[in-house]
């Protein structure tokens, strides 16, 4: 399965390594193909530096240790989503034929699309049981 994980899930995993988001990240890396786009990586660093600067090295270590395919998020128009800042992530997931997006963002969770399927970390963990 090809899985794109949104920045809010990665930041949550950095902040709390025993959380459901962290468990979801670990499972995807161990059992599936993780896709990250350049927009997600940049957003992770932006959020961690602003809100949790003491965790910047943790984010560095996490991203260095994860096995993932880094893709370029297309800029410009594409799939419609309520928050235009999320459009590059959605477009990258569609372009890369992701099966699942794991996100806690309501803009993603309220999408009415068949593919990629959008799940919260808890929904993903329930699905893989």
């Amino acid at each position: 399965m090809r899985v794109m994980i949104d920045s809010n899930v990665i930041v949550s995993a950095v902040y709390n390594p025993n959380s459901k988001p962290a468990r979801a990240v670990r499972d995807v890396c161990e059992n599936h193909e993780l896709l990250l786009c350049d927009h997600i990586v940049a957003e992770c660093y932006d959020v961690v530096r602003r809100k949790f600067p003491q965790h910047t090295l943790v984010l560095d270590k996490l991203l260095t240790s994860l096995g993932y395919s880094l893709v370029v998020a297309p800029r410009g128009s594409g799939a419609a989503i309520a928050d235009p800042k999320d459009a590059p992530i959605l477009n990258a997931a569609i372009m890369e034929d992701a099966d699942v997006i794991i996100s806690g963002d309501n803009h993603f969770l309220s999408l009415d699309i068949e593919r990629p399927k959008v799940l919260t970390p808890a929904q993903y963990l329930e699905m893989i049981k």
Side-chain angles (χ1 to χ4, degrees):
M1 187 164 50
R2 296 168 58 82
V3 181
M4 186 163 285
I5 298 181
D6 194 8
S7 53
N8 60 67
V9 176
I10 294 171
V11 170
S12 294
V14 166
Y15 185 74
N16 184 353
N18 297 315
S19 63
K20 287 181 182 181
R23 291 194 339 251
V25 169
R26 282 192 299 272
D27 182 82
V28 169
C29 290
E30 291 170 4
N31 300 301
H32 305 287
E33 181 182 357
L34 174 60
L35 303 170
L36 295 179
C37 68
D38 56 343
H39 187 82
I40 290 171
V41 173
E43 196 170 62
C44 285
Y45 276 103
D46 179 53
V47 171
V48 168
R49 285 182 183 131
R50 270 188 301 108
K51 294 185 175 185
F52 315 107
Q54 70 279 15
H55 287 85
T56 303
L57 288 177
V58 176
L59 177 61
D60 285 341
K61 288 180 184 179
L62 177 65
L63 291 176
T64 301
S65 69
L66 295 178
Y68 60 91
S69 297
L70 181 64
V71 299
V72 176
R75 303 300 192 251
S77 63
I81 189 166
D83 185 349
K85 292 184 296 185
D86 292 329
I89 297 168
L90 179 58
N91 290 330
I94 292 169
M95 183 179 79
E96 293 298 322
D97 198 27
D99 298 296
V100 172
I101 297 174
I102 300 176
S103 179
D105 185 327
N106 284 332
H107 296 113
F108 279 105
L109 297 170
S110 65
L111 287 174
D112 186 23
I113 57 174
E114 268 187 52
R115 186 178 169 97
K117 188 172 188 165
V118 181
L119 302 170
T120 65
Q123 289 169 328
Y124 170 79
L125 292 170
E126 186 62 32
M127 181 187 81
I128 60 163
K129 271 188 180 177

